[in-house]
Amino acid sequence: MASKVTPWYKKKSVSQVKSDYAYQHTQSVRTRQQTAVRKSSSTSVSQVKVKAQATQAMAELSYTIPVFRQRTAEEGTEEYQRVSTNVEKGLTVIQEELHRMRMVTKARVDSLAVQREVNEMMYRRKDSLEEIPRMPDFLVALRPHTVWEKTPVQLFCTVEGTPRPIVKWYKGGVPVDPLSAPGKYRIENKYGVHGLIISRCAVSDTAEYSAVAINPHGTATSKATVTVKRPAGSGELCLLGLVPRLTEIHASKLEVSLLDRFSVSFGVEGGSIGLVCTMVVVPDLPNLPPLAQWYRDDKLLTPSNLAAMSVSGGGARLTLPHLAKDDEGLYTLRIFTKDGTAEHSAYLFVSDAAPSVAGAPGAPMSVKAYDVNADYVLVSWKPPNTVNEAAITGYFVDRCEAGSDTWVQCNDAPVKVCKYPAHGLKEGRSYHFRVRAVNKAGVSRASRKSDKVTALDAAESERLQGTEEGVPSAPGQVVATRNTKSSVFVQWQPPKTLKNLVGYYIDGRVVGTKDWFPCNHKPFKHSRFVVHGLIPGESYTFRVQAANVFGLSEESQESSPIAVEPALATPGAPFGIAMLSCDGCSMTLAWRRPKHCGGSKVNAYYIDKRNADTLTWQEVNLSAITERIYTVDNLTEGIFYEFKIQAANMAGVGVPSAPSAPIKCEAWTMEEPGPAYDLSFSEVRGQSLVLLWKAPVYTGAAAVSGYLVDMAKKDSSEFVTLTQEAVSQRYLKVTSLEEGETYVFRVRSVNAKGVGKPSRLSEPVCAKALPGTQEIVAGVDEVTGDVFLSLEACEISQMSKFVWSKNYKAIGDCPRVAATAKGRTSRLTFTNPDKDDLGKYSVAVTDTDGVSASHTLTEDALNTMLELSYAIRHPVVPLKHGLNYEILEKGHVRFWVQAVKLSPSVSYRFIVNDKEVKTGEGIKISHDVASGVIQMTVDLFTRANEGTYTVQIHDGKAKTQSSLVLVGDAFKVALKEADFQRKEHIRKQGPHFSEYLYFTVTEDCTVMLACKVANVKKDTSFHWFKEDDEIVPETPPNVVSGACALPIHLFSRKDQGVFKAVLSDDRGKDTSLFDISGKVFDDIINALAHNAGASASELVLQCTPEGIRLQCYMNYYTEEMQTVWKHKESKIASSEKMRIGGTAEMAWMQICDPSDKEKGSYSIEVSDGVQTHTRTFDLSGQAYTDAYEEYLRLKAAAFAEKNRGRVLGGLADVVTIMEDKSLSLTCTVWGQPTPEVSWFKNEQEVASNEHTRVTFEGGKFSSLLINKVTPDDSGKYSINVRNKYGGEFVEITVSVYRLGEKLPEPKLGQPKAAAATPATTPAPPKTPTPAFTKTPTPATTPVPKSPTPTPKSTTPTPSRGVKSPTPPSRFMKSPTPPRK
């Protein structure tokens, strides 16, 4: 709760009054300085007190006007006589006046010296504070303003920090530059007050202004809205977002004073709460209520079905009828008054409602829609805090149309981040959204539904900011400091990596416990937070988590433990000064302790006195007074005196009390007793309380015989006597009170002479128990058997002590009882309880708001506890575990029993079938005092050991026994296990498997069958088998290493079967079987899917002539994996349209003959049974357009490749022929349409003549016939076959030799570029790799029939079967990216 308080530096200064009061005040200042020097020697007050005095002196007014006192007629006569005597001594008065003037001058000089010293101390204090590094903090924040056009506005704030922060001003997030509009803006910084002055405001100046303070330790921001209004009729109006339209009589002209303010409140989801602030309005006009505004976290609230507001002359109310965690925050009520504004703020905490399923998480919050489009919106929310619940695994998003109550779940599987694109919306319709969180325990309650969103293609819509993935790092150091008696101030260092932080969650726990509790239920944006609702005196530690849309960060380190105590300060002023006795030269005074001790024990009091006719105060005591009663000596009889008292604690000396009423020093001679004093209360409950007081100091002519107690309601003068007769004890239990009513009491002492003076009225007390009040509990200690009384205090402070009393008399050091305290609990233990201990016991906790309780110990209750105590002090031996057995290695059987505690003198014996068994051959009996275990070990367990086993234990006076029956089936189970362990021991004497076969999966998705062996040697053999067929691995097993493994590459269903490993040598043989089928096979596939899914690349688009293919590369893929392809969240089944397949390195999905229907988002999900790995690709927009164009291009290229001209066969590479023979070169050609055929010799086209004839028959067979070849016919021949889709160029080398010559060696022709293809292949592009590849295709332009190559060209001829290269029709993109 934070109410606005005017700082000391804004208070109006009070001018000096040149009168006797100025002189007396100067004397008082000097006297206080002397008092400070005197009191510094006291052991209870340190130098901290002196600094506090200097600070207090700075804050005091320049003079003090004495309180006007009313006197009776008798006192008036005495005063008149005293004044007359002074008048007769006129000359003496003049001399005293001259002396006084000299003293005034001297006092002023002393005052200047004191002021100088105080200033020096303040500077030293300031320097010491500046040495402590502190982040910026706004002491006075910016306030919103509403002004008329062409009027100035001034924004001011005060900020502190070390080193001194730098303040920058912003308008709507843009820095304010005074040079951009000379004369319009002026930025000031005077004495730590920063200001922004805007002269002649225009409507365009309406904006949110912010002051940002920065130093090396952090940043702080204060924001306020300036609204500029244009008068009606002057043109364009500026709507007021904060203040209603002004009228002739405006509500802001009223004088408003806030009275009862709403405090820190706590609510639960689904409930309702009202925040009320009462006020006094002048004038109180029924038709003109005050102008009130409500804010949550500095955001203006407007009336709605979630927030109802009302205001009248009596108060302002905000009602939240349907609480949700979205409602948590700092609520501020702002009332516009004649002098400005009156504000009050307090925090509202809203905790999670009970979950529908135990362990389910809390509901998400702040659901909002972004990126609004015609068919989808992006929904985001904030994650809930998880303290004791399981971690959140995902979220479900629901939607419903506006006006409908039907909710539809948007996603089939939970999404893991706090945002989700909701598809399938209908354009023009309005929707609401809500979110539910999921963990392993169940689903949470639904969040509050979002605001209405209409699915339209908006030109501009709010976008979700932030693309950086991952949760934030953990916050830094957490520091907790004292704040109030029920709250703690927690601050921390922000995370090093924020990643679009949405806020923090603060958790706390009581020191000594393991259970954490949430301190807030809605992410808090700042790095400091006040935790309310804590138990006074309890110690807590705190931790912090940062949150964003991806979840919660790791927890920060815990803060140091801190006790819930008010911040340390000097104590308040004592009060209730009363005279208890007077003998004419001394007075005995008593007073009440300060209402506020300042967070530490009050350990000293100082008294000042003065003559009622003067203003000069004199010190009474030189040393500290520890009690609240003191006798002031050296007084003059007949003089009126006034007294004031200061209290001191470890922080220093507090402010003085108000001067007491003038008290005449006159000896008491009445026979009746004086007043009782120090009235206090204990055990305040709803209908009863206990009043206590102290006996009067002055007893009168006879001893005090009793007391009368009077009671009245607060503000009432009608007292009722509660006791018919005087009571002898100094306490009284008052009953039949009205709960919630406030009462006052007084006590009158009685002796034989009559009834004496009444005491001063007690402090008003409300008949209402403190929250969490506990009563005294009587019990018996379960360990020691001690009878005790115990109280757990509902609140406690660091200085608190438990004061036990019997019949309301402090027990103190008493041998019959012993008092102990631990934390918030105190125990009074009786040493040897008997009838003398019967009575009423009470306990009070000091330095609290009256924590106390009582208990009457009766004889019956004491006898019951004594019986229980005897049973505890004479117990049986407690057992943790009864007699049991376990099978050990080698088949030994161990029978054992465990006691809670054993002494070294314990004795025991084992009995089997009614016969005692002792340590001997095959049996060993022992015990261990530390663990409390008694055991018997049987080496050879056979059928003869069937029967009943019993152990009897004696330990001091305690004894017990425990039995175990091992017969029938129970014995058979034990015997079987013993035989097995015996055989296992024998097996392990030779080579054996220390770990039988098991499987692992490596990172490259190789399945490894592994085992561990022991007790092997070099000649130990190891063999692998599958279904009795031996497997010989590439690397022989190395049994000496202690581990063997068989790799299974490219694991699939064909690898199912029973694998066997055999280990043997001359000492024995051991076998291990592993059946890969059923669940084992599924586990291996899931393990492969886990590695493959983690290594999966992003989806890559690859176009083919058949369609568009999406590929996902991974370490390994097999069809047995649980792989699902989805289109727009709908599962895809393999079909002629959508083909699904894969290779060992990738999974693919191909869209055959794509159309616009196949646009949208595609995803692949690889599930390992626990986790699902998802990769997505958005095939829409430009991506789909480019892919579709590439598909059409590749389809045309494939068609061209299929139908181009080509040589199907029939030609040899080299032909050797004898001169004069005939040569026929014939081949089969094909092409659609029919290709054109040309023959070349040495790159010159061959023409038909009598020697050489070219034929082309049926469009299929082409021949070159040479009659009677000659050596001149030797050379390189080639055929060029081509049509409009391309062609092929084939070479043949012909060698002609003469008869008798050696056959020439065949020489193949050298490849050379075809002259018919003038175009060249373009260089590879240097652009980044795109999402898919385009391949070159044959040109669609006509090609010359008879290319004419250059005879001397150095370009090599293409080799046999080389296609005619054709330049691509468009830019060629780089190849498909390699797999990741």
Side-chain angles (χ1 to χ4, degrees):
M1 183 172 65
S3 299
K4 295 291 183 179
V5 179
T6 305
W8 61 269
Y9 53 81
K10 286 192 174 182
K11 294 181 179 178
K12 298 180 179 180
S13 61
V14 182
S15 59
Q16 297 283 343
V17 177
K18 297 181 180 180
S19 65
D20 289 348
Y21 299 124
Y23 164 71
Q24 301 297 347
H25 172 66
T26 306
Q27 287 294 96
S28 177
V29 172
R30 184 173 63 181
T31 303
R32 267 198 305 274
Q33 283 300 111
Q34 297 171 354
T35 303
V37 175
R38 176 195 65 186
K39 295 176 183 178
S40 63
S41 62
S42 174
T43 57
S44 60
V45 181
S46 62
Q47 290 182 351
V48 178
K49 177 184 66 179
V50 179
K51 294 183 180 179
Q53 278 186 317
T55 306
Q56 184 62 32
M58 290 292 292
E60 287 183 352
L61 296 175
S62 300
Y63 65 93
T64 304
I65 300 177
V67 179
F68 176 78
R69 58 179 181 269
Q70 295 180 352
R71 296 191 172 100
T72 62
E74 180 180 353
E75 292 175 341
T77 302
E78 294 175 354
E79 179 69 10
Y80 175 78
Q81 294 174 355
R82 192 161 53 251
V83 172
S84 300
T85 303
N86 291 334
V87 170
E88 292 173 359
K89 300 178 181 180
L91 182 58
T92 304
V93 171
I94 295 175
Q95 292 175 350
E96 289 178 353
E97 180 67 12
L98 293 175
H99 176 72
R100 186 188 63 79
M101 294 177 64
R102 288 195 298 269
M103 295 302 295
V104 167
T105 304
K106 184 176 183 303
R108 290 178 178 174
V109 174
D110 293 341
S111 177
L112 292 175
V114 171
Q115 187 68 26
R116 187 181 302 108
E117 183 177 352
V118 171
N119 290 336
E120 291 176 357
M121 294 177 69
M122 290 297 293
Y123 283 126
R124 286 198 298 271
R125 178 174 179 271
K126 180 180 179 181
D127 293 339
S128 64
L129 290 175
E130 290 181 350
E131 293 175 359
I132 303 175
R134 291 182 300 171
M135 66 181 295
D137 187 21
F138 282 89
L139 298 179
V140 179
L142 296 177
R143 296 195 306 173
H145 292 267
T146 301
V147 297
W148 294 105
E149 191 180 26
K150 298 181 181 180
T151 59
V153 66
Q154 299 178 351
L155 301 176
F156 290 103
C157 63
T158 304
V159 65
E160 69 172 1
T162 305
R164 181 174 299 172
I166 298 174
V167 176
K168 297 182 180 180
W169 293 88
Y170 294 83
K171 173 186 176 183
V174 179
V176 175
D177 184 9
L179 300 178
S180 62
K184 184 173 183 63
Y185 300 105
R186 188 170 79 252
I187 297 176
E188 295 181 349
N189 178 12
K190 295 181 179 180
Y191 311 110
V193 179
H194 299 265
L196 172 65
I197 295 91
I198 308 174
S199 62
R200 293 182 61 82
C201 291
V203 175
S204 59
D205 291 322
T206 299
E208 183 183 68
Y209 291 80
S210 57
V212 180
I214 305 172
N215 73 358
H217 302 290
T219 303
T221 304
S222 178
K223 299 180 180 180
T225 302
V226 173
T227 305
V228 183
K229 183 180 178 182
R230 180 173 295 167
S234 60
E236 181 184 357
L237 293 178
C238 178
L239 298 178
L240 294 180
L242 295 177
V243 183
R245 185 170 180 265
L246 297 176
T247 59
E248 294 181 0
I249 302 176
H250 198 267
S252 63
K253 302 302 181 182
L254 304 174
E255 294 183 4
V256 182
S257 299
L258 300 181
L259 298 180
D260 295 330
R261 298 169 169 84
F262 56 91
S263 60
V264 174
S265 304
F266 298 87
V268 181
E269 276 187 307
S272 62
I273 199 169
L275 305 180
V276 182
C277 194
T278 61
M279 65 185 75
V280 174
V281 181
V282 179
D284 188 4
L285 304 177
N287 60 343
L288 185 62
L291 182 58
Q293 296 176 348
W294 289 90
Y295 294 82
R296 178 174 61 234
D297 295 332
D298 296 331
K299 293 184 178 179
L300 180 66
L301 299 179
T302 56
S304 66
N305 59 344
L306 299 177
M309 305 174 192
S310 62
V311 62
S312 64
R317 170 182 284 271
L318 171 65
T319 303
L320 305 175
H322 308 290
L323 280 178
K325 289 187 291 186
D326 304 70
D327 296 318
E328 181 170 298
L330 182 67
Y331 283 79
T332 301
L333 170 63
R334 180 174 296 155
I335 304 290
F336 289 84
T337 69
K338 182 178 181 181
D339 298 328
T341 59
E343 296 182 1
H344 172 68
S345 301
Y347 211 90
L348 170 63
F349 295 88
V350 181
S351 60
D352 290 300
S356 56
V357 179
M365 69 211 77
S366 302
V367 181
K368 192 173 181 180
Y370 297 86
D371 302 353
V372 181
N373 286 275
D375 59 347
Y376 84 96
V377 297
L378 183 60
V379 182
S380 76
W381 58 91
K382 293 180 181 179
N385 192 8
T386 54
V387 180
N388 300 313
E389 300 85 5
I392 292 176
T393 57
Y395 301 90
F396 285 117
V397 180
D398 305 331
R399 74 168 186 263
C400 78
E401 291 194 22
S404 170
D405 294 331
T406 303
W407 290 91
V408 179
Q409 185 171 303
C410 298
N411 52 322
D412 296 330
V415 294
K416 299 184 181 299
V417 298
C418 298
K419 57 182 178 180
Y420 177 76
H423 293 273
L425 306 183
K426 297 181 180 179
E427 186 173 3
R429 296 192 179 182
S430 299
Y431 297 88
H432 295 283
F433 295 91
R434 71 181 187 186
V435 183
R436 295 169 291 146
V438 184
N439 66 3
K440 65 180 183 181
V443 183
S444 74
R445 293 162 54 96
S447 68
R448 173 179 285 176
K449 68 180 182 180
S450 68
D451 294 335
K452 183 170 65 176
V453 176
T454 303
L456 293 174
D457 274 331
E460 293 184 2
S461 62
E462 188 175 0
R463 301 289 175 179
L464 183 61
Q465 300 296 322
T467 59
E468 190 174 3
E469 296 188 357
V471 299
S473 60
Q477 181 183 12
V478 181
V479 179
T481 55
R482 293 166 61 171
N483 189 47
T484 68
K485 69 176 183 179
S486 62
S487 65
V488 167
F489 180 72
V490 181
Q491 55 186 341
W492 57 90
Q493 294 177 349
K496 294 182 179 179
T497 55
L498 297 178
K499 295 189 177 181
N500 307 112
L501 185 75
V502 299
Y504 301 93
Y505 282 118
I506 302 94
D507 304 329
R509 68 175 176 88
V510 178
V511 174
T513 65
K514 297 182 179 179
D515 295 331
W516 292 87
F517 60 88
C519 300
N520 63 319
H521 304 84
K522 176 182 177 182
F524 189 73
K525 295 184 178 180
H526 304 288
S527 59
R528 56 187 184 273
F529 187 77
V530 178
V531 181
H532 290 274
L534 304 179
I535 300 175
E538 192 65 83
S539 295
Y540 295 85
T541 60
F542 300 91
R543 69 184 184 190
V544 182
Q545 283 181 284
N548 67 1
V549 295
F550 292 94
L552 304 180
S553 72
E554 296 292 331
E555 293 93 351
S556 67
Q557 294 183 353
E558 297 180 18
S559 67
S560 300
I562 184 171
V564 182
E565 301 285 347
L568 194 62
T570 57
F575 63 99
I577 302 174
M579 183 175 67
L580 304 181
S581 178
C582 181
D583 59 5
C585 61
S586 65
M587 294 183 188
T588 300
L589 304 177
W591 58 91
R592 292 177 180 166
R593 61 172 58 91
K595 293 183 179 180
H596 304 286
C597 65
S600 65
K601 181 179 179 181
V602 175
N603 51 21
Y605 293 96
Y606 298 98
I607 304 176
D608 293 339
K609 69 176 181 178
R610 72 178 177 187
N611 189 317
D613 295 328
T614 66
L615 294 178
T616 303
W617 289 97
Q618 298 178 354
E619 296 174 348
V620 173
N621 57 312
L622 298 177
S623 59
I625 301 172
T626 58
E627 300 296 332
R628 290 182 290 109
I629 183 171
Y630 187 76
T631 300
V632 181
D633 299 318
N634 302 321
L635 301 180
T636 303
E637 187 171 9
I639 299 299
F640 283 84
Y641 289 93
E642 293 179 353
F643 301 91
K644 67 178 182 179
I645 304 174
Q646 291 174 276
N649 61 7
M650 63 182 298
V653 179
V655 295
S657 66
S660 67
I663 304 174
K664 184 178 182 181
C665 183
E666 184 178 21
W668 285 6
T669 59
M670 65 275 197
E671 295 182 345
E672 298 81 6
Y677 69 100
D678 202 11
L679 275 63
S680 60
F681 302 98
S682 179
E683 307 159 41
V684 179
R685 302 295 185 263
Q687 296 177 343
S688 65
L689 57 82
V690 175
L691 175 68
L692 302 97
W693 61 89
K694 292 183 180 179
V697 174
Y698 180 81
T699 59
V704 176
S705 59
Y707 303 91
L708 297 175
V709 179
D710 301 330
M711 178 185 73
K713 291 185 178 181
K714 185 182 178 182
D715 300 329
S716 174
S717 59
E718 298 179 0
F719 280 87
V720 177
T721 302
L722 301 177
T723 53
Q724 298 297 329
E725 297 180 357
V727 295
S728 58
Q729 71 273 13
R730 293 195 298 275
Y731 64 89
L732 179 68
K733 184 169 184 178
V734 183
T735 58
S736 302
L737 301 179
E738 298 179 18
E739 187 169 4
E741 188 63 68
T742 303
Y743 300 89
V744 293
F745 296 85
R746 70 184 182 189
V747 177
R748 292 173 291 159
S749 305
V750 179
N751 65 4
K753 301 299 181 179
V755 179
K757 293 183 178 181
S759 66
R760 289 181 61 93
L761 290 181
S762 68
E763 281 293 292
V765 58
C766 179
K768 183 178 180 181
L770 292 174
T773 296
Q774 303 283 342
E775 300 297 339
I776 293 178
V777 177
V780 181
D781 192 284
E782 296 179 355
V783 178
T784 64
D786 293 333
V787 177
F788 65 85
L789 300 176
S790 176
L791 173 70
E792 182 180 0
C794 60
E795 68 174 72
I796 197 173
S797 67
Q798 190 173 3
M799 307 303 297
S800 293
K801 292 184 179 180
F802 291 85
V803 180
W804 286 90
S805 302
K806 181 179 180 182
N807 298 327
Y808 296 100
K809 294 182 180 179
I811 294 176
D813 295 332
C814 178
R816 300 190 63 86
V817 293
T820 59
K822 183 177 181 181
R824 295 190 294 119
T825 303
S826 177
R827 175 180 287 192
L828 184 71
T829 304
F830 296 90
T831 306
N832 189 17
D834 56 25
K835 293 183 178 181
D836 293 339
D837 294 310
L838 300 179
K840 189 167 188 176
Y841 291 84
S842 62
V843 60
V845 185
T846 64
D847 296 300
T848 62
D849 287 340
V851 177
S852 56
S854 66
H855 179 81
T856 301
L857 185 61
T858 63
E859 184 174 359
D860 292 341
L862 179 61
N863 290 335
T864 302
M865 290 188 290
L866 287 175
E867 292 177 1
L868 180 59
S869 175
Y870 179 84
I872 293 175
R873 291 178 176 178
H874 303 83
V876 296
V877 177
L879 297 179
K880 283 187 178 180
H881 301 282
L883 187 60
N884 208 334
Y885 78 93
E886 65 174 329
I887 310 300
L888 304 179
E889 191 179 6
K890 300 181 181 181
H892 298 174
V893 179
R894 171 178 171 257
F895 295 88
W896 62 277
V897 64
Q898 185 178 17
V900 174
K901 185 178 181 181
L902 290 179
S903 69
S905 60
V906 64
S907 63
Y908 51 88
R909 63 176 186 161
F910 279 91
I911 299 174
V912 180
N913 294 331
D914 298 330
K915 294 182 180 180
E916 183 178 356
V917 179
K918 296 184 179 181
T919 299
E921 184 177 355
I923 297 177
K924 182 180 178 182
I925 300 175
S926 62
H927 75 280
D928 180 59
V929 175
S931 62
V933 173
I934 301 174
Q935 62 185 7
M936 176 181 69
T937 304
V938 179
D939 292 344
L940 183 60
F941 194 73
T942 63
R943 293 186 179 274
N945 297 109
E946 184 177 7
T948 301
Y949 293 77
T950 302
V951 58
Q952 295 177 345
I953 306 172
H954 294 265
D955 192 0
K957 297 181 180 180
K959 59 183 180 180
T960 190
Q961 75 173 27
S962 181
S963 299
L964 174 66
V965 178
L966 271 182
V967 296
D969 293 339
F971 174 75
K972 291 178 182 179
V973 171
L975 182 61
K976 182 179 179 181
E977 179 66 17
D979 290 340
F980 173 78
Q981 291 297 336
R982 192 179 302 111
K983 293 177 181 178
E984 276 292 290
H985 175 70
I986 296 173
R987 180 181 71 88
K988 293 180 180 179
Q989 302 309 305
H992 63 275
F993 291 94
S994 59
E995 289 189 25
Y996 289 105
L997 285 176
Y998 60 93
F999 79 90
T1000 60
V1001 177
T1002 63
E1003 291 186 359
D1004 61 352
C1005 294
T1006 298
V1007 178
M1008 304 291 293
L1009 291 185
C1011 61
K1012 293 183 180 180
V1013 298
N1015 199 14
V1016 296
K1017 54 186 180 179
K1018 290 184 179 180
D1019 58 351
T1020 301
S1021 63
F1022 189 97
H1023 298 278
W1024 291 98
F1025 297 89
K1026 179 185 179 184
E1027 305 290 352
D1028 296 330
D1029 295 330
E1030 185 173 0
I1031 302 172
V1032 180
E1034 296 179 359
T1035 303
N1038 182 13
V1039 294
V1040 179
S1041 65
C1044 298
L1046 176 67
I1048 304 177
H1049 302 284
L1050 303 179
F1051 182 87
S1052 63
R1053 196 174 298 279
K1054 63 179 177 60
D1055 294 305
Q1056 293 187 103
V1058 179
F1059 288 80
K1060 180 171 65 174
V1062 179
L1063 183 69
S1064 63
D1065 60 16
D1066 55 355
R1067 296 170 296 165
K1069 176 182 178 181
D1070 200 7
T1071 303
S1072 177
L1073 299 177
F1074 192 75
D1075 185 3
I1076 300 181
S1077 62
K1079 185 177 183 305
V1080 175
F1081 178 80
D1082 294 339
D1083 291 342
I1084 296 176
I1085 291 296
N1086 287 336
L1088 289 171
H1090 177 77
N1091 287 4
S1095 67
S1097 69
E1098 295 298 328
L1099 289 179
V1100 177
L1101 189 148
Q1102 176 69 42
C1103 293
T1104 67
E1106 291 78 18
I1108 300 174
R1109 176 179 293 185
L1110 296 177
Q1111 300 174 345
C1112 181
Y1113 292 95
M1114 56 188 74
N1115 286 347
Y1116 178 63
Y1117 172 77
T1118 179
E1119 62 182 5
E1120 286 82 5
M1121 292 182 184
Q1122 299 181 31
T1123 306
V1124 177
W1125 287 89
K1126 289 186 177 181
H1127 176 219
K1128 295 181 179 179
E1129 303 299 329
S1130 297
K1131 185 177 178 180
I1132 300 174
S1134 183
S1135 62
E1136 290 297 326
K1137 184 69 174 180
M1138 299 285 192
R1139 297 179 183 175
I1140 298 175
T1143 65
E1145 294 185 348
M1146 72 173 178
W1148 55 261
M1149 187 276 298
Q1150 180 166 296
I1151 308 169
C1152 298
D1153 192 16
S1155 63
D1156 288 348
K1157 293 182 179 180
E1158 282 72 49
K1159 290 183 180 180
S1161 176
Y1162 288 83
S1163 64
I1164 182 174
E1165 296 180 355
V1166 181
S1167 174
D1168 58 11
V1170 176
Q1171 186 179 4
T1172 301
H1173 305 271
T1174 305
R1175 302 292 184 269
T1176 60
F1177 188 91
D1178 188 6
L1179 185 60
S1180 60
Q1182 189 63 37
Y1184 176 81
T1185 302
D1186 294 344
Y1188 188 74
E1189 291 179 357
E1190 178 67 4
Y1191 154 69
L1192 294 178
R1193 191 181 69 80
L1194 292 179
K1195 183 177 180 181
F1199 181 82
E1201 172 63 19
K1202 179 180 178 182
N1203 293 281
R1204 69 176 177 83
R1206 66 184 70 185
V1207 177
L1208 297 181
L1211 293 177
D1213 293 331
V1214 178
V1215 176
T1216 303
I1217 190 170
M1218 185 183 296
E1219 186 179 14
D1220 293 331
K1221 299 289 183 180
S1222 295
L1223 174 64
S1224 177
L1225 299 177
T1226 304
C1227 65
T1228 303
V1229 298
W1230 186 89
Q1232 188 65 34
T1234 301
E1236 296 178 355
V1237 179
S1238 301
W1239 288 88
F1240 296 86
K1241 176 186 178 183
N1242 295 331
E1243 301 179 352
Q1244 298 294 326
E1245 187 174 0
V1246 178
S1248 294
N1249 51 39
E1250 294 181 356
H1251 182 66
T1252 304
R1253 185 161 59 92
V1254 177
T1255 62
F1256 185 37
E1257 299 176 355
K1260 293 184 178 179
F1261 306 102
S1262 178
S1263 301
L1264 173 64
L1265 180 63
I1266 304 176
N1267 295 319
K1268 297 181 179 182
V1269 296
T1270 64
D1272 293 337
D1273 292 322
S1274 298
K1276 292 183 294 183
Y1277 289 81
S1278 60
I1279 182 173
N1280 189 0
V1281 181
R1282 64 185 309 110
N1283 61 10
K1284 66 178 182 178
Y1285 296 115
E1288 191 172 16
F1289 197 87
V1290 180
E1291 285 188 342
I1292 310 99
T1293 301
V1294 177
S1295 298
V1296 180
Y1297 65 95
R1298 291 186 176 88
L1299 182 64
E1301 290 183 353
K1302 183 180 178 180
L1303 290 177
E1305 294 183 2
K1307 297 181 180 179
L1308 295 177
Q1310 299 297 322
K1312 186 174 182 181
T1317 56
T1320 59
T1321 302
K1326 297 181 181 180
T1327 57
T1329 303
F1332 58 88
T1333 304
K1334 294 186 178 181
T1335 55
T1337 57
T1340 58
T1341 56
V1343 180
K1345 292 183 179 180
S1346 301
T1348 306
T1350 304
K1352 297 182 180 181
S1353 173
T1354 59
T1355 305
T1357 304
S1359 60
R1360 172 182 176 83
V1362 174
K1363 299 178 184 178
S1364 299
T1366 306
S1369 61
R1370 57 181 295 177
F1371 181 74
M1372 174 180 173
K1373 296 187 178 181
S1374 56
T1376 303
R1379 55 181 286 254
K1380 293 184 178 180

